[in-house]
């Protein structure tokens, strides 16, 4: 019988061999980690440089489509963007959807189109002044494409809120000191002072006329307004401010122009009401009324000589067409 222990072989590993194997693995791990980090950094850098280029190309393409639709050449580094009206199809779509709003106080298609047609014919850049923030505010801003549009609002809190959610809109709040039931008395007093503080041609910033708005920003009085739309302040309540001041101010601004077109289109909404019709007759004048219906009146005023003391002439009322 053979002794099994005699064939047993013992292999001993020197500690140096184990240490050398562990060190090799550590170096290999470090080597792989180093190149992994380099790869990730390269990938991130490449992504940051490629994606903006892609976004720039997309933005340029979108700009080209939009400007092409508006009839404007795409902007370049050596040219400036020119003013242009919106395409007719775009205008018609805006009017269509605005006139079909669920808001019970929105304007009709015919009323909005009358104002839109004037804005479309206005030489760019067109200056539009609107009294009152209404359901159509964003529509007027959009229709006066590449023009200047300014809104005047009686409620300072609503003006601030509206400007916060629509920072592209220029809104200025104004404090009205009149009452609608005082309209007759105020209009009579203003007519008597037409040769002095309530004259038809003046800088309202320095006016002492009761109906003149003199607390708007200075630059508002320096602009030659092409179109003025009176749809504010509130005029449907006995104690409301009424629209005597806004109509009188529109009349003075139109007649005091220093440049631009000598004519100003003035629209008055809610023309069926006594105050709007009275102030329209006395300050905008029936000889300047070109079209009207129960809700909207359209006047075209010429600028006057600085020494003028009368708002209206003795000429007979011109032929007036009806707004559909």
């Amino acid at each position: 019988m053979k002794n099994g222990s005699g064939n047993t072989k013992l292999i001993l590993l020197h500690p140096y061999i184990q240490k050398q194997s562990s060190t090799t693995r550590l170096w290999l791990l470090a080597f792989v980690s180093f190149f992994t980090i380099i790869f990730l950094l390269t990938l991130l850098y490449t992504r940051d440089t490629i994606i903006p280029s892609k976004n720039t190309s997309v933005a340029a393409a979108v700009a080209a489509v939009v400007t092409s639709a508006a009839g404007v050449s795409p902007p370049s580094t050596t040219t400036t963007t020119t003013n242009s009206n919106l395409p007719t199809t775009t205008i018609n779509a805006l009017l269509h959807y605005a006139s079909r709003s669920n808001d019970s106080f929105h304007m009709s298609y015919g009323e909005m189109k009358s104002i839109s047609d004037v804005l479309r014919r206005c030489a760019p850049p067109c200056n539009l002044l609107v009294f009152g923030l209404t359901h159509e505010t964003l529509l007027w801003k959009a229709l006066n494409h590449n023009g200047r549009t300014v809104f005047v609002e009686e409620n300072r809190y609503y003006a601030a809120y509206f400007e916060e959610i629509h920072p592209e809109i220029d809104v200025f709040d104004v404090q009205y000191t009149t009452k609608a039931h005082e309209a007759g008395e105020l209009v009579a007093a203003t007519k008597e002072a037409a040769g002095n503080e309530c004259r038809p041609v003046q800088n309202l910033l320095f006016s002492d006329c009761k109906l003149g708005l003199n607390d708007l920003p200075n630059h508002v009085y320096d602009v030659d307004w092409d179109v003025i739309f009176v749809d504010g302040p509130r005029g449907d309540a006995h104690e409301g401010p009424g629209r005597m001041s806004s109509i009188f101010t529109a009349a003075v601004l139109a007649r005091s122009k220093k440049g631009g077109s000598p004519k100003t289109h003035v629209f008055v909404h809610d023309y069926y009401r006594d105050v709007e019709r009275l102030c329209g007759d006395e300050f905008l004048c029936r000889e300047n009324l070109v079209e009207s219906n129960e809700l909207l009146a359209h006047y075209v005023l010429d600028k006057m000589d600085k020494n003028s003391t009368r708002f209206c002439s003795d000429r007979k009322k011109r032929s007036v067409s009806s707004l559909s």
Side-chain angles (χ1 to χ4, degrees), residues 117-166:
D117 288 345
V118 171
L119 291 174
R120 190 183 310 188
R121 296 192 299 267
C122 184
C126 187
N127 296 318
L128 169 63
L129 178 64
V130 181
F131 289 91
L133 290 176
T134 66
H135 173 77
E136 292 80 23
T137 295
L138 297 180
L139 175 68
W140 305 136
K141 173 66 176 178
L143 291 178
N144 192 24
H145 185 60
N146 285 333
R148 174 184 299 182
T149 306
V150 172
F151 297 88
V152 178
E153 169 60 28
E154 62 175 306
N155 188 325
R156 62 183 302 183
Y157 300 105
Y158 184 59
Y161 165 76
F162 199 91
E163 200 168 30
E164 181 179 355
I165 61 176
H166 299 290

Side-chain angles (χ1 to χ4, degrees), residues 2 83 103 113 134 161 179 190 192 220 232 236 294 308:
K2 292 183 178 179
N83 291 292
D103 192 316
K113 189 174 188 304
T134 66
Y161 165 76
K179 300 293 183 183
T190 301
E192 290 181 4
V220 173
D236 55 350
E294 288 188 351
S308 299

Side-chain angles (χ1 to χ4, degrees), residues 35-156:
F35 278 97
T36 301
I37 293 173
I38 293 299
F39 174 79
L40 291 175
L41 291 175
T42 304
L43 180 63
L44 290 174
Y45 177 80
T46 305
R47 178 178 179 270
D48 288 340
T49 55
I50 292 177
I51 289 181
S53 175
K54 179 180 179 182
N55 289 341
T56 302
S57 299
V58 173
V62 172
V65 172
V66 173
T67 52
S68 175
V72 184
S73 299
S76 66
T77 56
T78 58
T79 60
T80 57
T81 304
T82 58
N83 291 292
S84 172
N85 292 327
L86 288 171
T88 301
T89 52
T90 303
I91 294 175
N92 290 339
L94 290 171
L95 295 175
H96 171 81
Y97 288 111
S99 66
R100 278 156 177 73
S101 166
N102 292 327
D103 192 316
S104 58
F105 298 102
H106 70 78
M107 297 175 67
S108 68
Y109 178 87
E111 294 170 294
M112 291 186 291
K113 189 174 188 304
S114 178
I115 299 174
S116 171
D117 288 345
V118 171
L119 291 174
R120 190 183 310 188
R121 296 192 299 267
C122 184
C126 187
N127 296 318
L128 169 63
L129 178 64
V130 181
F131 289 91
L133 290 176
T134 66
H135 173 77
E136 292 80 23
T137 295
L138 297 180
L139 175 68
W140 305 136
K141 173 66 176 178
L143 291 178
N144 192 24
H145 185 60
N146 285 333
R148 174 184 299 182
T149 306
V150 172
F151 297 88
V152 178
E153 169 60 28
E154 62 175 306
N155 188 325
R156 62 183 302 183

Side-chain angles (χ1 to χ4, degrees), residues 34 55 127 208 291 321:
F34 174 79
N55 289 341
N127 296 318
D208 292 324
E291 57 180 354
S321 60

Side-chain angles (χ1 to χ4, degrees), residues 16-31:
Y16 174 77
I17 298 177
Q18 292 179 333
K19 182 177 180 180
Q20 185 179 32
S21 176
S22 176
T23 302
T24 302
R25 284 196 296 269
L26 288 175
W27 276 108
L28 181 61
L29 180 61
F31 182 82

Side-chain angles (χ1 to χ4, degrees), residues 19 76 95 149 160 202 245 270 275 305:
K19 182 177 180 180
S76 66
L95 295 175
T149 306
Q202 61 173 306
S245 289
D270 300 315
V275 171
D305 182 83

